[in-house]
């Protein structure tokens, strides 16, 4: 048994098999090989493994999605065994004395370029299939897995790093825990792990040999144990079961009010990244949604989500929440949340750069599409709109002006919408210091403690090296929160917290004493926070 310690970002235990996550773009290096026949054997062996994978996927697809949809995997098997394809790979290995990975990738590129130029639609469409099979082969040759779809059981996902855009696309039902080498506890990938209610540990030197081995991920200690001894496995299994029991106890708080012993009610909402997170909000008895990070709709997509696509997403969430409040934050793209199709230039300081509301006000056509979708969806539930990264009253007035224009447009078109509440995120020191003026312009504030901590302490939330001093309990952050609550109330706005700090039960009493109105937390923290509030006098 081998044990490594990293930094935990979600306290829970998972036991399962290691799955090494391979980024989609396998960069292949050209390497010289002396023994070409041996290299061809290596390729043949990889082909056998890849064909086995495809056969398993095909059988599974047959059962789950029917023969027509499964047929594509049969085509993949045929292509992988195609004489021309195999001959080309062997020829490149022999003639150029290169590694199999390089020969496969080159053949894949050549064949897919050839298919792409064909007149026939069907043949042209095969270009993507050739790319797919060559990537599968390269992954097998590199000793990495790529296809979560072929997994029969949930796994512990290990990777060097995971971008938020990759994390949102993973099949969450198949992941027991995340273990990564890089990342920081306030990154969006960490936030996603908390939303998914799974243990996650960062700072572990993930090794290829761990693939397929049994691992225990202990989110309480930050320990990752490979090939655990039977005794340790037994102890940790019992600990995991005790955890489940604790969760069961918390379930007794479902249906109860989030209220202190002397009757102070706190609105306890949830943070979500998309439609599929609503189920866990309802399971955990969330009283509303305090932060819908709408940018994940953009991250999941290969192109700008259309008004209709966005409308459907917001409408579904509003309807599923059945009249409970749903606060949708407008697009907060940029910094660690990068989307290729936005074509954002590389910046030295992206966290302080062209992002969030700055993009929306600079490219109002993107903003208007989102506002139209939101207003249309407002007719189906209780939607509020929130603007991120605000630094001035001017920005708020501009947002409200555009919102009013979009409303007028919808009215003229005879499309129904409601008079939604409008709020802003308080996550910059500038907004803290003008919160009294801002409070007069909006219905509510939601304090984004993740960014507020980053900007107040001048600590990049993505920088794992600074995790040890990235202290959201810093008096400067806590005093900012106090100021915002007081000023918001003076201006007539209610005030909540939607940053990760809102779920920190060691501070629940402090926030309640400061006069907080709402806390919005990852779904799995709803019941622990309700428990903490109900214990207060
Ligand atoms: C925050 O900054 O606290 C926040 C809630 O927004 P995000 O984490 O998405 O930046
Ligand atoms: Mg933020």
């Amino acid at each position: 048994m081998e044990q490594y310690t990293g930094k935990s970002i979600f306290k829970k235990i998972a036991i399962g098999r290691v799955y090494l996550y391979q980024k989609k773009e396998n960069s292949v290096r050209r390497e010289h090989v002396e023994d070409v026949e041996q290299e061809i054997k290596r390729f043949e062996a990889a082909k056998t493994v890849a064909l086995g994978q495809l056969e398993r996927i095909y059988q599974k697809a047959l059962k789950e999605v029917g023969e027509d949809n499964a047929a594509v995997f049969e085509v993949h098997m045929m292509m992988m065994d195609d004489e021309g394809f195999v001959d080309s790979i062997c020829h490149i290995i022999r003639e150029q004395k290169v590694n199999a990975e390089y020969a496969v990738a080159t053949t894949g590129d050549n064949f897919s370029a050839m298919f792409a130029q064909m007149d026939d639609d069907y043949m042209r469409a095969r270009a993507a299939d050739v790319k797919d099979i060559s990537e599968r082969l390269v992954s097998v040759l590199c000793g990495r897995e790529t296809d979560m779809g072929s997994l029969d059981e949930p796994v512990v996902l290990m990777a060097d790093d995971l971008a938020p855009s990759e994390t949102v696309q993973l099949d969450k039902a198949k992941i027991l825990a995340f273990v990564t080498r890089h990342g920081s506890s306030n990154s969006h990938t960490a936030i996603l792990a908390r939303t998914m209610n799974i243990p996650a540990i960062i700072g572990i030197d993930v090794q290829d040999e761990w693939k397929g081995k049994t691992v225990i991920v202990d989110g309480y200690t930050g320990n990752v144990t490979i090939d655990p001894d039977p005794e340790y496995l037994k102890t940790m299994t019992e600990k995991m079961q005790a955890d489940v029991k604790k969760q069961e106890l918390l379930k007794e708080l479902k249906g109860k009010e989030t209220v202190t012993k002397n009757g102070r009610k706190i609105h306890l909402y949830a943070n979500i990244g998309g439609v599929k997170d609503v189920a866990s909000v309802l399971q955990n008895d969330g009283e509303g949604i305090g932060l819908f990070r709408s940018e994940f709709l953009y991250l999941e997509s290969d192109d700008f989500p259309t008004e209709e696509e966005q409308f459907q997403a917001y409408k579904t969430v509003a309807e599923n929440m059945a009249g409970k409040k749903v606060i949708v934050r407008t697009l907060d793209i940029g910094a660690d949340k990068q989307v290729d199709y936005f074509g954002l230039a590389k910046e030295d300081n992206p966290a302080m750069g062209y992002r969030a509301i700055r993009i929306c006000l600079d490219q109002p056509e993107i903003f208007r599409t989102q506002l139209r979708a939101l207003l249309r969806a407002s007719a189906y539930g209780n939607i509020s709109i929130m603007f991120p990264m605000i630094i001035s009253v001017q920005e708020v007035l501009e947002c409200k002006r555009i919102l009013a224009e979009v409303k007028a447009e919808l009215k003229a078109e005879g499309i129904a919408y409601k008079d939604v509440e409008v709020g802003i995120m308080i996550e910059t020191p500038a907004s803290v210091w003008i919160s009294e003026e801002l409070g007069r312009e909006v219905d509510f504030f939601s304090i984004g403690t993740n960014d507020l901590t980053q900007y107040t302490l001048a600590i990049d939330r993505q920088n794992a090296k600074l995790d040890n001093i990235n202290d959201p309990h810093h008096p400067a952050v806590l005093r900012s929160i106090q100021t915002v609550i007081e000023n918001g109330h003076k201006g007539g706005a209610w005030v909540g917290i939607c940053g990760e700090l809102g779920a920190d039960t060691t501070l629940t009493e402090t926030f309640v004493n400061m006069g907080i109105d709402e806390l919005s937390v990852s779904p799995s923290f709803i019941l622990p926070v309700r428990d903490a509030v109900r214990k207060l006098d």
Side-chain angles (χ1 to χ4, degrees), residues 188 191 291 293 295 329 332 337 355 425 427 447-452 461 498-500:
H188 284 91
I191 290 171
L291 171 64
R293 288 182 163 95
E295 56 277 8
R329 172 174 77 185
D332 186 11
K337 289 176 285 196
R355 57 174 294 194
M425 300 268 311
E427 50 187 345
I447 307 176
T449 51
N450 309 334
D451 277 319
L452 185 58
R461 66 193 268 194
C498 64
E500 298 296 288

Side-chain angles (χ1 to χ4, degrees), residues 177-189:
F178 283 130
V179 175
T180 61
R181 191 188 306 263
H182 305 293
S184 69
S185 44
N186 264 319
S187 64
H188 284 91
T189 299

Side-chain angles (χ1 to χ4, degrees), residues 246-393:
K246 231 195 260 164
Q247 302 269 345
E248 290 295 319
L249 274 179
L250 278 175
K251 281 192 191 143
E252 287 173 11
L253 291 173
K254 282 194 190 182
K256 302 227 164 107
E257 271 197 309
T258 308
V259 63
T260 63
K261 285 185 191 150
N262 63 23
R264 244 206 89 213
K265 167 100 185 102
I266 303 295
H267 296 280
L268 184 53
Y269 298 159
N271 296 346
I272 63 165
V275 179
K276 46 197 177 314
D277 297 333
V278 175
S280 68
V281 177
L282 295 173
Q283 265 161 29
N284 288 286
D285 200 25
E287 298 160 24
I289 286 169
L291 171 64
F292 179 170
R293 288 182 163 95
S294 69
E295 56 277 8
F296 285 111
L297 291 179
Y298 293 71
L299 285 165
E300 280 167 343
S301 190
D302 294 332
D303 203 346
F304 291 98
T306 61
E307 177 184 322
E308 193 56 30
E309 283 164 349
Q310 292 193 55
F311 163 67
Q312 289 300 341
Y314 305 141
K315 173 174 173 275
T316 308
V317 173
E319 283 178 340
N320 290 350
M321 290 304 290
K324 291 178 178 161
K325 194 177 263 307
V326 175
I327 302 177
V328 184
R329 172 174 77 185
T330 59
L331 182 63
D332 186 11
I333 213 82
D336 63 327
K337 289 176 285 196
Q338 289 291 336
V339 183
D340 289 347
Y341 58 84
F342 267 77
L344 300 178
K346 229 178 160 37
E347 295 180 342
D348 287 340
N349 260 318
M352 295 199 279
Y354 186 65
R355 57 174 294 194
I357 204 67
R358 300 168 186 179
I359 297 181
C360 287
L361 293 178
D362 187 50
Q363 301 188 50
E365 63 289 2
I366 297 176
F367 196 32
R368 279 171 188 276
T369 303
Q370 180 167 40
L371 293 177
R372 272 184 70 94
L374 278 168
L375 285 170
R376 283 174 56 199
S378 71
Y380 298 84
N382 183 6
I383 285 184
S384 303
I385 298 181
M386 174 160 77
F387 304 116
M389 284 290 295
I390 293 295
I391 57 164
S392 72
V393 173

